[in-house]
Amino acid sequence: MIEENVKNLIREIPATNPFGEKVTLVAAVKFQSTENINRAIAAGITDIGDNHVQEFRDKYSEIQGNPKRHFIGRLQTNKVKYLVGKTDLYHSVDRLKLAEEISKRSESLSRVLLEVNVSGEESKGGFGLDEAEKAYLEISKLPNIKVVGLMTMLPDTDDESLLRALATKTRAFLDKIREKDPDFATLSMGMSGDWRICVECGSNMIRLGTAIFGARNYNK
Ligand SMILES: *Cc1c(COP(=O)(O)O)cnc(C)c1O
């Protein structure tokens, strides 16, 4: 099933979004066994994203095929040390302190995305769009950090027009900063339920768990 899901997704995800950009598929691997993750990689997954530092560490050396490693979860400052040097992209930099810690621990440039909270839901982390530009400027000054774009999680809703409005707003914000900084080009937006809408609205990186692995078993 995993193999079939990956193959179908690779076929279905458009090669480029309406902005002419390649769409990168990141497999969200939380709670998955290394066996399942390796099956997904063998079927064509090139990028994997963890949410939990402990899982990232436990599985790190068992993962085959040398995929790109993303960290997509909420990150405690005191755990950054376990990820530096092993993470290709940090998606969820949601506060200055975290960026400072990544910069301090990194021996070479670490690539990060700023997490933005576009819906204003209190349960979600991230900078409000009104504070994100200031955060971008501050974090960009840190010596070992390269801010390469935005990550967001849209609300869990079937309201397509709301999702489109929020996704379009996020893309517009990316483009605003990108005018001055061409490297600010990654928009990580879209999960199993909303990725099609997100790609249509200008996402170029989607994080899929359920669509690849099926429903998660949280009891394991
Ligand atoms: C779990 C998770 C995903 C994937 O969610 P699905 O709905 O299973 O595709 C994407 N992004 C983040 C940050 C996640 O925690």
Side-chain angles (χ1 to χ4, degrees):
M1 187 186 80
I2 292 174
E3 289 78 4
E4 212 175 299
N5 290 343
V6 170
K7 295 216 159 94
N8 288 338
L9 281 166
I10 290 174
R11 204 174 308 131
E12 197 194 341
I13 295 167
T16 58
N17 67 13
F19 293 73
E21 299 156 349
K22 180 178 176 291
V23 178
T24 300
L25 167 58
V26 179
V29 300
K30 58 176 175 278
F31 303 119
Q32 300 302 330
S33 64
T34 43
E35 190 199 333
N36 283 353
I37 299 168
N38 285 332
R39 281 171 60 192
I41 293 167
I45 288 294
T46 57
D47 291 64
I48 64 173
D50 266 289
N51 285 71
H52 304 108
V53 173
Q54 191 62 48
E55 276 190 69
F56 178 97
R57 295 179 71 193
D58 289 349
K59 293 179 213 157
Y60 188 83
S61 59
E62 317 272 309
I63 301 286
Q64 291 158 5
N66 199 24
K68 287 222 160 85
R69 311 285 182 134
H70 301 245
F71 195 80
I72 63 176
R74 240 182 220 178
L75 182 52
Q76 285 171 268
T77 313
N78 63 357
K79 297 204 170 144
V80 167
K81 57 178 176 283
Y82 301 118
L83 300 181
V84 287
K86 295 181 168 164
T87 303
D88 294 289
L89 184 61
Y90 300 83
H91 286 233
S92 33
V93 170
D94 57 0
R95 53 200 196 282
L96 180 60
K97 269 246 159 325
L98 175 58
E100 284 171 346
E101 178 68 10
I102 295 171
S103 181
K104 193 177 105 190
R105 297 271 175 188
S106 298
E107 285 175 9
S108 57
L109 218 53
S110 283
R111 298 168 68 247
V112 310
L113 302 177
L114 298 186
E115 183 172 359
V116 288
N117 179 348
V118 277
S119 60
E121 289 170 286
E122 273 180 29
S123 60
K124 296 217 156 86
F127 297 101
L129 282 189
D130 55 335
E131 38 177 28
E133 184 160 9
K134 184 165 164 260
Y136 159 77
L137 292 170
E138 277 174 346
I139 292 173
S140 295
K141 282 187 209 143
L142 297 170
N144 284 331
I145 294 258
K146 179 78 193 159
V147 188
V148 296
L150 298 173
M151 178 268 208
T152 197
M153 289 207 269
L154 296 181
D156 184 12
T157 172
D158 294 330
D159 184 345
E160 235 190 75
S161 59
L162 174 65
L163 292 171
R164 274 182 203 284
L166 293 171
T168 302
K169 198 163 137 185
T170 311
R171 175 70 208 203
F173 182 76
L174 180 92
D175 288 334
K176 184 180 156 200
I177 296 193
R178 192 185 193 175
E179 271 179 31
K180 291 173 245 166
D181 177 359
D183 294 332
F184 196 85
T186 300
L187 179 52
S188 169
M189 176 172 75
M191 316 205 317
S192 294
D194 60 13
W195 70 265
R196 291 174 185 82
I197 293 173
C198 289
V199 169
E200 281 172 32
C201 296
S203 167
N204 51 35
M205 187 172 276
I206 56 179
R207 310 174 309 268
L208 306 186
T210 311
I212 294 172
F213 300 106
R216 278 181 288 278
N217 178 0
Y218 291 97
N219 301 320
K220 265 192 302 195

